[in-house]
Amino acid sequence: MKIFAFANQKGGVGKTTTAVTLADGLARMKVKTLLVDLDPQGHLALSFGLEKSPGLYRLICLDETLEKVVTHIAPNLDLVSGDKQTEKVKRQITLSDFRETILADILQDAPYDAVLLDLAPSLDVLHVNGLIAADWVVIPTRPDALAVDGVKEILTTMAEINQSGHRYRGYSILPTFFDRTTRETFLQFQDLAKTFGEHLWPPIPQDTRVRETVAYGKTLWDYSPNSVAMNGYKNGKQRLGGYKQVLARMLEVING
Amino acid sequence: MAEKKFERRTTLDPAVADLLSGMQQRQAESQLPRKERERMSRERAKIQSRRDQRATYDLPPTLREEIMALSEELRIPASQLVTLALGRFLNDYHSGIIDLGKYKQPSRSPRYDWNLIFPDELIRIKKKKG
C-alpha cells in the first residue's frame, strides 16, 4: 500500500480536484483506492455528488472502524468523508498522546493498494498527521509566486518531519491551472524545473471543464474524459501533461 | 587560462522537458520582429497540416535510392512518385492483376502471419539506359 498526501498551504491550487481525479483514475485501473478528506470544508463528498458527512470524525473521535465509516463510491473506490466536525477531530488529536501519528496508525493495515489524503490548506495537527502518514507527497501548485511559496513551506515542514525520523519515498510538484501561452507561467515553470528537476511532474492544463465537473457532481472521467485537463496538450502524436499522464506517474510510484 | 565553468545537469521528466522546450521556443519567437513571427507561424501551420500525410515504412535502401534518383531526374517530388506507385499497386491488387501469393512466406512474428519475400530483380536498382 502507498499513501499519497495532496498538500499545499496555499488554497485554491487544485488539491481536491487532483485527489478526486487521480483516485477515480486509479480505481478504474483496478487499484483498490481510499480517499480521505482531511479538510473541514468536506469538498471530496461534494465532488462525487454526495452530501458532506462526518466520516473522519467517526473514525478518529468515535473510534469506529474504517470499514464502517467508508462510503463506497465506485468499484475499487472508497471515501472517508469530512465536514465541519473535522474541526473537533483536530481538538481531540491535540489532546491525545502520540498525536502526530494517529492517522498513520489507523491507516497502517488498511486493505487498500493506494490511499490518497486530501489535506486542508493550513498547517495544523491534522495536516502534520497527513504528512506523517504519507509515503509520497504530491504538491499541486498554480504557476504563480504565492502558490510556489506554498510549495517551499510544505517542503520545509517535510524536512522537519524527516528530521524526526519519518522517511518519505519521494515527493512531486504538480503544476495546475497551467496556461502555456503566458509569460508568467513560462517563467514560473522554468524556475520549478530548475529548482525541482525530476520532482516536477507534467502540468495540468487550465480547463473550464474542470470547474464545470464539480457543479455536476461528476469526476472528469465521467464528465469530460477527453478534455485538455485529462489528455494534456497535443504535441504532434504525443500528449504533454494532463491527469492521464500524471496517473501513469502515480502508477509508477505504486508499482515501485 | 580561463577557468572552466561546470553546470549541474538537471534531470527532468520527459514530458516536462518537451513542454519546456516548446515554451522556450515560443518565448524566443515572441521576441522576433512581427514579419519573422508571422513567417514562423505560417511554417508551423504548414508542418501541422502535413502531419496526417506523413508515414514511416521500412523500405529496401536500393528502392529508396532509385525513387530519389528518379525524383532528381524527372524533377518531381519523391512523395508524389511514391503516391503514384502505391495508387497503381492498390488498383492492380484490387483488380486481381497482382497476386501476392507468389511472394508469401510464413512469418514467425506473433503479429503477422506472412512475410513477402521479393525477388532480387524487383528491388534492385535498374541501370539507366544509355
Side-chain angles (χ1 to χ4, degrees), chain B residues 77-96:
Chain B
S79 301
Q80 291 171 12
L81 290 175
V82 173
T83 304
L84 174 66
L86 287 176
R88 289 289 300 269
F89 160 75
L90 287 172
N91 275 335
D92 288 354
Y93 175 75
H94 291 305
S95 317

Side-chain angles (χ1 to χ4, degrees), chain B residues 13-83:
Chain B
D13 182 292
V16 170
D18 284 349
L19 191 59
L20 198 56
S21 92
M23 289 173 82
Q24 269 162 346
Q25 194 184 335
R26 275 169 195 264
Q27 283 296 320
E29 273 178 33
S30 70
Q31 311 296 320
L32 296 171
R34 189 175 161 188
K35 276 193 174 175
E36 191 68 12
R37 280 204 314 268
E38 285 171 354
R39 187 183 66 76
M40 296 190 90
S41 163
R42 277 197 304 274
E43 269 178 19
R44 205 168 28 243
K46 199 170 154 188
I47 290 168
Q48 276 169 0
S49 70
R50 288 173 65 182
R51 215 164 251 159
D52 289 342
Q53 300 171 26
R54 293 193 161 243
T56 306
Y57 298 112
D58 289 335
L59 294 174
T62 49
L63 209 54
R64 188 170 157 268
E65 283 161 16
E66 193 167 1
I67 290 287
M68 291 313 293
L70 198 59
S71 161
E72 289 289 319
E73 184 187 330
L74 302 176
R75 302 194 55 74
I76 294 173
S79 301
Q80 291 171 12
L81 290 175
V82 173
T83 304

Side-chain angles (χ1 to χ4, degrees), chain A residues 17 142 176-180 204-214 220 223-233 242-243:
Chain A
T17 305
R142 278 174 180 262
T176 51
F177 298 91
F178 196 85
D179 177 2
R180 64 174 172 175
I204 307 301
Q206 165 98 303
D207 188 348
T208 315
R209 309 290 280 177
V210 178
R211 285 166 61 198
E212 291 170 4
T213 189
V214 181
L220 274 169
Y223 181 70
S224 191
N226 295 317
S227 55
V228 67
M230 288 295 273
N231 287 338
Y233 296 112
Y243 280 119

Side-chain angles (χ1 to χ4, degrees), chain A:
Chain A
M1 179 181 68
K2 293 280 188 329
I3 302 180
F4 295 85
F6 292 78
N8 189 332
Q9 279 155 243
K10 175 85 174 72
V13 295
K15 289 187 290 291
T16 301
T17 305
T18 299
V20 165
T21 310
L22 294 174
D24 194 11
L26 287 173
R28 285 165 196 256
M29 305 289 286
K30 302 194 189 320
V31 176
K32 200 164 161 37
T33 304
L34 174 69
L35 251 177
V36 183
D37 198 343
L38 299 181
D39 189 339
Q41 293 181 93
H43 284 170
L44 281 188
L46 295 184
S47 302
F48 289 105
L50 304 170
E51 293 295 317
K52 299 176 187 183
S53 61
L56 190 74
Y57 172 78
R58 286 168 56 205
L59 182 69
I60 293 179
C61 297
L62 305 184
D63 277 333
E64 291 186 35
T65 60
L66 185 60
E67 193 185 2
K68 213 169 162 191
V69 302
V70 296
T71 310
H72 182 62
I73 304 280
N76 297 312
L77 182 56
D78 289 343
L79 167 71
V80 175
S81 54
D83 66 357
K84 59 188 177 188
Q85 302 229 53
T86 299
E87 289 292 349
K88 291 184 188 166
V89 177
K90 292 183 199 173
R91 286 201 288 277
Q92 165 130 349
I93 289 180
T94 309
L95 300 172
S96 308
D97 294 332
F98 307 109
R99 60 187 181 190
E100 278 88 11
T101 59
I102 286 177
L103 191 62
D105 295 341
I106 289 173
L107 294 174
Q108 196 176 19
D109 299 317
Y112 295 92
D113 302 319
V115 177
L116 278 63
L117 309 173
D118 183 25
L119 273 60
S122 56
L123 185 58
D124 52 37
V125 69
L126 202 48
H127 194 275
V128 173
N129 256 265
L131 288 177
I132 286 181
D135 299 304
W136 198 281
V137 180
V138 179
I139 311 171
T141 178
R142 278 174 180 262
D144 67 46
L146 293 179
V148 171
D149 182 63
V151 175
K152 289 176 197 156
E153 294 288 335
I154 286 287
L155 290 173
T156 307
T157 311
M158 284 169 64
E160 285 164 10
I161 290 171
N162 249 329
Q163 280 182 347
S164 68
H166 179 75
R167 288 284 169 266
Y168 292 102
R169 283 174 186 267
Y171 71 91
S172 302
I173 315 289
L174 177 63
T176 51
F177 298 91
F178 196 85
D179 177 2
R180 64 174 172 175
T181 59
T182 66
R183 185 171 160 73
E184 183 57 20
T185 299
F186 167 67
L187 293 174
Q188 293 288 348
F189 190 49
Q190 205 175 30
D191 271 359
L192 287 170
K194 206 170 174 185
T195 310
F196 298 108
E198 63 186 346
H199 294 289
L200 184 64
W201 270 354
I204 307 301
Q206 165 98 303
D207 188 348
T208 315
R209 309 290 280 177
V210 178
R211 285 166 61 198
E212 291 170 4
T213 189
V214 181
Y216 287 97
K218 299 279 180 199
T219 71
L220 274 169
W221 294 91
D222 285 325
Y223 181 70
S224 191
N226 295 317
S227 55
V228 67
M230 288 295 273
N231 287 338
Y233 296 112
K234 205 171 171 190
N235 180 36
K237 288 176 182 168
Q238 271 183 305
R239 289 286 187 168
L240 300 176
Y243 280 119
K244 288 180 186 170
Q245 198 162 59
V246 170
L247 183 66
R249 303 294 186 272
M250 265 187 100
L251 283 168
E252 284 170 20
V253 173
I254 291 169
N255 297 326

